[in-house]
Amino acid sequence: MNAPLDLRSSGSTTAFEFNLLNSFQRDFPLLARPYAALAQQLASDEASVIASLRHLQNSGAISRVGAVFRPNVLGASALAALAVPAERLAEVAAFVSARAEVNHNYEREHHYNLWFVATAATLEHLHAALHQIELACECGAVLILPMLEDFHIDLGFDLSASGQHYREQLAPNACELPAHCKQIQPLNQTEKTLLAALQHGLPLVALPFAELGVPQKFALATLQRWSQEGVIKRFGVIVRHHELGFNANAMVVWDVPDAEVSAVGQRIAASGRVTLCYRRPRQLPHWPYNLFCMIHGKDRAEVEARIGALAQACGLDHYPHTNLFSQRRFKQRGAHYMNASADQEKMKELAHG
């Protein structure tokens, strides 16, 4: 693994690279020559921007330049967990990570110690994939926790030394899912082609939108429309927190009365103190928690301090909660909605069985 880039120390990255990392995580120019537009803002040239982004990607500082899609709009996704015996964790994690549907896979400190996110083009495919994982791993039932409400709009990660690390949140009502996004949107074949190409990241070439397998004019118009409609939550540089020196993170989960959870979630989102905040279902008797947040820091002590500050600022102390610190990262990439899996027909049969 590449050594983390500590942006808070001198010499680890240039001011130019830092600006690319920190300033363009959202509002990326959806233009025919986007890197030329970035270069103009940075008083540089297109070739230098492309070369620097390639360097940052090769070093692990960024995973891609591209879109973060709102979950469950263009496809189906869910957070899932398994309780894996310690002696089998590496084996089971490798099997789960090999699934095309799995984009994130982490060991966390809990009885449910393997946590992963699965994404597919359809709910049927998603359920079939999770069922197959459950049967193959033989670790008991998969804990399946689909998102019910998205409170925190992903606006990026502030890497500056003086920043809170989390972009300032929008007004609370901006967290509300647009009416037209409340169900999976059917895509035509050309849109599917565009999505399949884009999920690997925007090519680092002068005319990237002409390299996505569809006409450039169609690609730009579709991405602009998806951004305006809220289907795309943000488009820009996708940074990798661990490689940039933020070595600790915790998934913090609360048990909040159902009548209060939406208001509490919006309060947390508006605080600007979390990277993610979602409502997910309880799965009683095994899982009593319904409000989920992600908090990052340079080390465990910083994360614990941030959790305490969040609880105090948002009045959370009287809600039962637990902190699931990340231990090992087995897989991390963007969601792939269009999986070219050879066993889709088999999985379809499994879903009906």
Side-chain angles (χ1 to χ4, degrees):
M1 181 180 292
N2 298 302
L5 295 174
D6 185 357
L7 300 187
R8 293 152 292 184
S9 64
S10 60
S12 59
T13 189
T14 66
F16 181 74
E17 289 174 331
F18 178 82
N19 282 332
L20 282 175
L21 286 168
N22 208 45
S23 302
F24 301 107
Q25 295 178 38
R26 55 187 169 120
D27 301 327
F28 188 84
L30 296 177
L31 304 170
R33 300 187 79 104
Y35 305 118
L38 296 187
Q40 187 174 21
Q41 294 183 55
L42 295 170
S44 182
D45 60 87
E46 183 181 56
S48 296
V49 168
I50 292 173
S52 293
L53 287 171
R54 283 178 180 160
H55 168 69
L56 290 168
Q57 188 169 50
N58 290 337
S59 72
I62 65 175
S63 62
R64 69 191 190 283
V65 176
V68 175
F69 288 93
R70 188 182 293 275
N72 300 316
V73 174
L74 296 183
S77 66
L79 177 66
L82 283 168
V84 185
E87 67 275 12
R88 294 189 58 214
L89 186 59
E91 164 210 342
V92 172
F95 175 83
V96 171
S97 293
R99 296 290 313 197
E101 299 84 4
V102 172
N103 45 289
H104 284 201
N105 190 18
Y106 283 81
E107 177 190 2
R108 295 195 179 278
E109 295 175 354
H110 194 269
H111 168 68
Y112 285 103
N113 55 351
L114 190 66
W115 290 81
F116 54 98
V117 177
T119 304
T122 66
L123 193 60
E124 178 185 59
H125 185 170
L126 176 67
H127 285 170
L130 293 173
H131 184 50
Q132 191 168 18
I133 287 172
E134 180 174 294
L135 291 178
C137 293
E138 298 182 326
C139 295
V142 173
L143 189 68
I144 302 174
L145 302 166
M147 188 187 71
L148 300 180
E149 290 183 82
D150 175 4
F151 300 114
H152 181 71
I153 303 298
D154 183 1
L155 298 181
F157 197 88
D158 189 351
L159 300 167
S160 63
S162 60
Q164 285 190 315
H165 307 322
Y166 314 124
R167 299 294 191 193
E168 184 179 352
Q169 184 51 267
L170 301 177
N173 59 5
C175 302
E176 201 170 311
L177 192 64
H180 57 270
C181 288
K182 291 186 178 178
Q183 59 183 4
I184 295 173
Q185 302 296 300
L187 302 181
N188 60 42
Q189 189 55 52
T190 311
E191 290 171 330
K192 289 179 181 178
T193 299
L194 172 61
L195 180 59
L198 190 64
Q199 64 195 12
H200 298 287
L202 198 64
L204 297 177
V205 297
L207 296 170
F209 296 106
E211 303 290 328
L212 299 176
V214 300
Q216 176 181 269
K217 184 177 180 180
F218 175 86
L220 286 167
T222 303
L223 294 174
Q224 288 165 359
R225 174 170 56 84
W226 284 347
S227 296
Q228 291 166 359
E229 292 177 346
V231 174
I232 292 176
K233 294 166 65 176
R234 67 178 173 99
F235 198 112
V237 177
I238 312 299
V239 302
R240 293 171 67 89
H241 307 132
H242 183 85
E243 282 74 4
L244 291 170
F246 298 93
N247 297 311
N249 72 79
M251 183 175 73
V252 188
V253 292
W254 278 275
D255 177 6
V256 181
D258 291 342
E260 302 174 32
V261 66
S262 293
V264 173
Q266 290 184 13
R267 193 158 69 240
I268 291 172
S271 76
R273 295 174 179 270
V274 299
T275 49
L276 297 170
C277 185
Y278 298 129
R279 178 188 174 194
R280 298 185 185 276
R282 298 181 178 87
Q283 296 289 3
L284 299 174
H286 307 292
W287 188 257
Y289 304 104
N290 61 344
L291 186 60
F292 292 64
C293 296
M294 285 299 305
I295 297 180
H296 291 75
K298 64 180 183 295
D299 54 36
R300 189 183 186 105
E302 182 178 314
V303 173
E304 289 173 340
R306 289 181 178 277
I307 294 169
L310 172 68
Q312 183 175 19
C314 296
L316 307 175
D317 286 327
H318 60 290
Y319 299 120
H321 83 284
T322 192
N323 305 329
L324 285 75
F325 275 87
S326 173
Q327 292 298 295
R328 280 184 283 179
R329 180 181 62 185
F330 296 110
K331 186 176 186 180
Q332 181 187 12
R333 65 157 168 77
H336 285 198
Y337 295 96
M338 300 291 113
N339 292 317
S341 174
D343 64 351
Q344 284 191 10
E345 287 304 315
K346 178 181 177 183
M347 292 182 61
K348 187 174 181 179
E349 293 174 7
L350 184 61
H352 289 292

